[in-house]
Amino acid sequence: MSEMLMFNALRAAIDEEMERDPTVLVMGEDVGHYGGSYKVTKDLYKKYGDLRLLDTPIAENSFTGMAVGAAMTGLRPIVEGMNMGFLLLAFNQIANNAGMLRYTSGGNFKIPIVIRGPGGVGRQLGAEHSQRLEAYFQAVPGLKIVACSTAYNAKGLLKSAIRDENPVLFFEHVLLYNLKEDLPDHEYLVPLDKAEIVRPGKDVTILTYSRMRHHVLQAVKTLEKEGYDPEVIDLISLKPIDFATIGPSITKTHRVIIVEECMKTGGIGAELVASITERYFDELDAPVLRLSSQDIPTPYNGKLENLTIVQPPQIVEAVQKMVTGQV
């Protein structure tokens, strides 16, 4: 076991896959000599050269389109967005090209591309740098979407994403890069389509992902002292959603709280509520509760920024009310 920061775990995943497979390459703004905006590709150009760590112009639509073309010819490109919000400039290339081409070509082309980078609400990064785009892309057919939350699953998921034959959107939270965790020295993979039961329990199922996993676990410390027994599930896979794991938890607890950093209107939680209601309505003892971000651009002011996203005391209160029948 070796202790590793999450950004170094991601770097290790890329390094291992580039060493294993010469068709893997990285492209994006400052991914080469600068080492990436959060140093995920630091010094890899020294080992693999400038063509496999390709510094691009500030033109997300162009280099994402180029990556799709590279994937069609048999390469395995990793596109790094300097900030995931900037990838809105490449929405057409991600949705109409990466997502559709395997289908519209009748299976003649595979699109093994990973599109990854930092996102989420950081610390006073302002509205345009605090985007959560997972729900923007969830409706696009042909994409797989994952959100890492620990150094362990970040490394294993990224290795799996690079090896997958389909386009994978890989969401990393800007405030999780410095998380530390002991990682195995041997190689391991984490499946792209499986949720993780972080804490088993019987009172209520809490569904969450990305940074909110850690807010939920902070709230759980308080809840345990008060005698509550919540089950915590990290979704990890946002498309497809792993109902094989979620379903048995709901039939056990009969209560569901969703904790997300995505906006409430049209967010990941909205899709979860709809799907849970369709599949497990008769199992529910209370309406599904969503704790989501405010539907406003994220303020720069630090205190206002904190008010826009879910905080641990809100999670504690929600569990207390649901379990005691006040919801």
Side-chain angles (χ1 to χ4, degrees), residues 119 121-123 125 172-179 211 261:
V121 177
R123 289 195 174 93
L125 298 179
E172 303 155 14
H173 199 288
V174 67
L175 291 182
L176 298 184
Y177 281 125
N178 288 324
L179 282 182
R211 184 191 175 208
E261 199 175 282

Side-chain angles (χ1 to χ4, degrees), residues 22-70:
T23 66
V24 178
L25 72 153
V26 182
M27 61 177 72
E29 296 145 355
D30 289 335
V31 298
H33 289 250
Y34 185 71
S37 53
Y38 288 89
K39 302 304 179 186
V40 172
T41 57
K42 183 180 178 183
D43 291 336
L44 290 180
Y45 80 95
K46 295 178 181 178
K47 184 175 180 180
Y48 299 106
D50 291 343
L51 286 178
R52 292 186 70 192
L53 272 295
L54 186 62
D55 283 322
T56 65
I58 302 174
E60 282 78 8
N61 58 343
S62 298
F63 66 73
T64 305
M66 180 170 68
V68 173

Side-chain angles (χ1 to χ4, degrees), residues 5 7 14 38 43-44 70 74 101 108 112 119 124-125 129 149 172 176 217 226 250 264 317:
L5 296 166
F7 78 88
I14 294 172
Y38 288 89
D43 291 336
L44 290 180
L101 271 167
N108 285 310
Q124 294 183 265
L125 298 179
H129 289 67
S149 52
E172 303 155 14
L176 298 184
L217 291 178
E226 298 177 1
I250 294 173
K264 190 169 190 176
E317 183 181 6

Side-chain angles (χ1 to χ4, degrees), residues 134-204:
E134 49 269 28
Y136 286 53
F137 291 102
Q138 200 192 36
V140 177
L143 301 179
K144 296 183 179 182
I145 304 176
V146 296
C148 62
S149 52
T150 67
Y152 178 86
N153 66 36
K155 183 181 180 183
L157 287 166
L158 186 52
K159 286 173 69 70
S160 295
I162 293 168
R163 298 185 190 189
D164 201 271
E165 299 293 352
N166 300 285
V168 179
L169 264 61
F170 195 94
F171 285 91
E172 303 155 14
H173 199 288
V174 67
L175 291 182
L176 298 184
Y177 281 125
N178 288 324
L179 282 182
K180 287 183 179 180
E181 190 173 3
D182 287 329
L183 302 188
D185 295 323
H186 61 80
E187 182 179 67
Y188 67 93
L189 301 173
V190 175
L192 297 175
D193 58 353
K194 298 296 183 185
E196 177 190 351
I197 299 175
V198 180
R199 181 194 186 278
K202 65 180 189 307
D203 287 344
V204 59

Side-chain angles (χ1 to χ4, degrees), residues 198-199 212-222 232 315:
V198 180
R199 181 194 186 278
M212 285 296 133
R213 166 180 173 146
H214 303 280
H215 274 78
V216 168
L217 291 178
Q218 191 175 332
V220 165
K221 292 178 182 178
T222 301
V232 178
I315 302 167

Side-chain angles (χ1 to χ4, degrees), residues 12 19 21 23 34 43 61 86 91 100 106 123 128 159 175 185 210 228 244 247 266 290 301 312-313 326:
E19 187 169 39
D21 184 348
T23 66
Y34 185 71
D43 291 336
N61 58 343
F86 302 158
F91 195 99
M100 307 292 183
R123 289 195 174 93
E128 291 184 11
K159 286 173 69 70
L175 291 182
D185 295 323
S210 190
Y228 294 97
R290 279 183 291 164
N301 178 284
Q326 299 176 51

